[in-house]
Amino acid sequence: MGFDIPEPYVWDESFKVFYDNLDEEHKSLFKAVFDCAGDRGSSDKLANLVSVTVNHFTNEEAMMQKAKYSDFPAHKSAHEGFVAKIKGLKTPLDDATVHFAKEWLVNHIKTTDFKYKGSL
């Protein structure tokens, strides 16, 4: 059981982590997942999702390391699991895969990311 998945699938203020760069990157992640959901056969949109995700995780992890964030190892592990999953995907994406990506991002931000508010 997790948080409600917004439909349409777009970032809103309830996902705010209060680091402008990370909030902007989260908006891009939502858009990339939204784009994949809307065009499940597009390998370009899937490749963009992977790229946007890897870039965001790299930036977020760098901020965590700089701040000596105590939950960094577990957070990085969650990132690695998601990246491994999306890198292994092939188009066309099925309903379960789209739902997984939407749900993972919503729950990751609202649980795991929210833990670092004010700590980075």
Side-chain angles (χ1 to χ4, degrees):
M1 178 89 101
F3 294 92
D4 290 336
I5 297 172
E7 289 298 341
Y9 193 73
V10 293
W11 185 94
D12 64 43
E13 295 284 317
S14 74
F15 294 98
K16 209 168 183 165
V17 294
F18 301 99
Y19 297 98
D20 290 343
N21 61 318
L22 298 180
D23 285 330
E24 287 302 314
E25 290 174 8
H26 286 158
K27 290 175 189 176
S28 296
L29 286 170
F30 267 82
K31 183 177 181 337
V33 171
F34 179 86
D35 289 347
C36 284
D39 189 355
R40 296 174 186 210
S42 173
S43 57
D44 288 344
K45 287 186 170 73
L46 178 57
N48 181 62
L49 172 61
V50 171
S51 175
V52 167
T53 301
V54 168
N55 288 338
H56 166 64
F57 288 170
T58 299
N59 293 338
E60 188 177 63
E61 289 168 9
M63 288 177 68
M64 289 180 200
Q65 286 181 299
K66 184 176 180 185
K68 298 182 176 24
Y69 180 60
S70 64
D71 200 36
F72 174 73
H75 202 123
K76 182 173 176 57
S77 178
H79 287 171
E80 289 170 345
F82 185 70
V83 168
K85 171 89 173 175
I86 63 172
K87 279 187 172 180
L89 295 175
K90 302 282 184 249
T91 56
L93 302 175
D94 61 19
D95 289 345
T97 300
V98 170
H99 181 78
F100 164 79
K102 289 179 174 183
E103 184 176 59
W104 188 93
L105 184 58
V106 164
N107 286 300
H108 181 77
I109 292 172
K110 289 197 171 186
T111 58
T112 308
D113 286 357
F114 276 15
K115 291 178 187 174
Y116 67 56
K117 284 184 183 180
S119 300
L120 305 183

